[in-house]
Amino acid sequence: MSRLTLEVADIFRAHGPAWRRAQAGHLSLGQLKVMSAIERCRSAELGGHVLQCQACEHTRIAYNSCRNRHCPKCQASAARRGLEARQAELLPVEYYHVVFTLPGPISDIAYYNKSVLYNLLFTAAAETLLTIAADPKHLGARIGATLVLHTWGSAMTHHPHVHGIVPGGGLSLDGERWVAGRPGFFLPVRVLSRLFRRLFLDQLSDAHHAGKLQFFGEHAALAEANAFEDWIKSLRHCEWVVYAKRPFAGPDAVLAYLSRYTHRVAIANSRLIALDEQGVTFKWKDYRAKEPYRHKTLTLAPEEFIRRFLLHVLPAGLHRIRHYGLIANTTRKDNLARARELLTGEKPEPIEPTSNGNLGCEDTEQPLNSPYVCPDCGAPMLIIATFLGGKLPRAPPMITGRS
């Protein structure tokens, strides 16, 4: 490889053409678009711009990014923008990390019903949190929650779950006071798990009755109503994994978490180790092993690596970051102002919402606040020219005849 660091793009460029030919007719348009975008990202094919230092006149060519939400390089930039957007919205309270995971049998059918089941996962998880928190037996308050969809395990297998960031308290039901939870404790996970299971399975049954689900292969028999109901019954008695981690160690830890998780893709370039005759080797974490032995390496054939990566291409238009309750997009500004006033006793400066009301852009890239920095002298660099894909930048004019 020409670079010191191996990237997903390198694997796609080396083995993508043969993979597409072998899988012709079996790949969705969305998967093909993701492969094409990652292969072309920050290359001359997408065009770019010429930067020049204002102090030492050092020039540099920078190629445009693909801006695809599945691209490891683009999502690193999106995470930084999301971090800036959320910093002013954090409240001076404990924050908790809550995870809702779908059982294996449902994960199996989720792959063929991504839009329906991922939306049900969001809806059931959010309703569970808001309902239990509003119950006077637990917190008795209106809370807010940011939910982030992840569809992968560390080895890139299909493992749909949502990560939630939730403040440890909320507004009283009448909005007149802040109700704080017990220090170090959010909500009982067993209660959350039971309600989440019931809500999800009820909504899944409704989706089946409405004809919104598809079944293939070994699950084809589930298209029949009686077989599906029998299958659902077994899931009503198994354990559903919901857990809440201990509170974050302050706002900086919350921001660090958000920057890591909100724009994460199936695998980061930093986890890749080698691409050679053995296959693709990368780092992964085995959560079933005890802590000292969790960090391992795994080698997959390039074709299997690409197949696993493409398992996690999301349907067009499906938002993977969503806000609920106090921080729902339509009421976030007023609710946060009221919460801050009750917590500090002072009326805060108004918070301007982000342009898309989300955790930074997912598919679009906005200019960063800080200018480009010269690698030689550290002075700001300005864009002096742009060029289209497939074109080379024009050289600066020669200065002649200077007296």
Side-chain angles (χ1 to χ4, degrees):
M1 298 300 171
S2 59
R3 292 182 307 279
L4 294 178
T5 304
L6 178 64
E7 297 181 349
V8 171
D10 298 321
I11 300 166
F12 279 11
R13 293 184 191 116
H15 297 276
W19 164 259
R20 284 189 286 265
R21 288 193 297 270
Q23 299 296 322
H26 299 285
L27 297 176
S28 69
L29 179 60
Q31 290 172 323
L32 292 171
K33 285 183 175 180
V34 167
M35 290 191 72
S36 175
I38 292 176
E39 289 169 0
R40 301 167 65 200
C41 186
R42 297 185 191 176
S43 71
E45 291 187 63
L46 295 182
H49 44 275
V50 181
L51 301 167
Q52 185 175 65
C53 177
Q54 294 178 284
C56 67
E57 297 187 352
H58 171 81
T59 58
R60 183 169 67 90
I61 295 174
Y63 296 115
N64 292 333
S65 60
C66 67
R67 304 179 182 180
N68 190 285
R69 63 176 172 173
H70 302 89
C71 175
K73 285 186 288 192
C74 291
Q75 290 310 291
S77 298
R80 290 193 295 270
R81 292 192 301 275
L83 189 65
E84 296 172 0
R86 294 282 79 82
Q87 189 167 10
E89 297 180 355
L90 289 177
L91 297 171
V93 299
E94 288 185 331
Y95 278 80
Y96 292 84
H97 176 197
V98 187
V99 182
F100 294 84
T101 303
L102 293 180
I106 293 182
S107 297
D108 292 341
I109 68 167
Y111 179 71
Y112 301 104
N113 299 277
K114 289 183 177 180
S115 291
V116 176
L117 267 73
Y118 293 169
N119 280 317
L120 290 187
L121 175 55
F122 271 117
T123 303
E127 188 175 345
T128 297
L129 288 170
L130 300 182
T131 301
I132 300 301
D135 189 338
K137 292 187 296 184
H138 299 291
L139 186 63
R142 293 187 296 125
I143 65 169
T146 293
L147 299 182
V148 183
L149 173 67
H150 285 183
T151 63
W152 54 85
S154 186
M156 291 198 298
T157 52
H158 192 229
H159 178 63
H161 56 286
V162 290
H163 293 262
I165 302 294
V166 190
L171 293 177
S172 61
L173 301 183
D174 60 7
E176 294 301 315
R177 59 191 178 88
W178 178 263
V179 180
R182 286 160 43 193
F185 178 81
F186 177 53
L187 292 170
V189 292
R190 181 173 290 273
V191 175
L192 292 173
S193 175
R194 296 296 183 269
L195 181 57
F196 173 60
R197 180 178 64 188
R198 178 171 64 80
L199 291 174
F200 188 94
L201 292 179
D202 287 349
Q203 294 172 26
L204 185 63
S205 292
D206 292 342
H208 187 274
H209 294 154
K212 296 180 179 179
L213 302 179
Q214 303 178 79
F215 302 97
F216 302 94
E218 62 182 296
H219 299 102
L222 295 179
E224 199 272 322
N226 290 333
F228 184 81
E229 287 304 319
D230 291 339
W231 180 75
I232 282 282
K233 286 178 183 177
S234 65
L235 292 169
R236 294 190 186 276
H237 300 288
C238 69
E239 288 297 324
W240 287 46
V241 178
V242 176
Y243 68 89
K245 294 186 177 180
R246 64 179 184 273
F248 291 99
D252 290 342
V254 179
L255 288 172
Y257 171 85
L258 287 171
S259 69
R260 290 196 308 270
Y261 271 79
T262 53
H263 293 81
R264 184 174 284 185
V265 296
I267 188 168
N269 288 329
S270 59
R271 289 174 53 200
L272 300 176
I273 297 174
L275 172 62
D276 51 30
E277 63 277 2
Q278 303 298 320
V280 183
T281 303
F282 59 92
K283 294 177 284 187
W284 73 292
K285 192 172 183 180
D286 184 357
Y287 289 94
R288 295 170 296 182
K290 293 185 177 180
E291 186 59 42
Y293 309 103
R294 284 186 172 181
H295 296 278
K296 303 178 180 181
T297 61
L298 177 65
T299 300
L300 299 175
E303 297 77 15
E304 176 62 11
F305 179 92
I306 295 173
R307 185 194 73 83
R308 291 195 188 189
F309 187 95
L310 295 181
L311 286 175
H312 310 291
V313 173
L314 297 177
L318 189 143
H319 296 284
R320 61 179 174 181
I321 307 167
R322 305 185 188 185
H323 308 287
Y324 297 91
L326 295 183
I327 56 175
N329 293 336
T330 55
T331 58
R332 178 190 298 141
K333 181 178 177 181
D334 292 340
N335 286 333
L336 286 176
R338 179 58 176 160
R340 203 175 298 276
E341 180 181 2
L342 292 172
L343 285 164
T344 65
E346 299 177 359
K347 284 201 171 186
E349 293 294 325
I351 299 172
E352 292 299 325
T354 56
S355 59
N356 67 344
N358 213 333
L359 279 176
C361 290
E362 290 194 1
D363 295 312
T364 59
E365 190 163 356
Q366 300 295 329
L368 299 176
N369 292 331
S370 58
Y372 298 99
V373 176
C374 177
D376 288 348
C377 67
M381 301 185 78
L382 297 179
I383 297 175
I384 61 172
T386 60
F387 55 96
L388 300 176
K391 305 286 185 180
L392 293 176
R394 293 178 58 188
M398 298 289 295
I399 301 176
T400 59
R402 180 176 289 177
S403 58

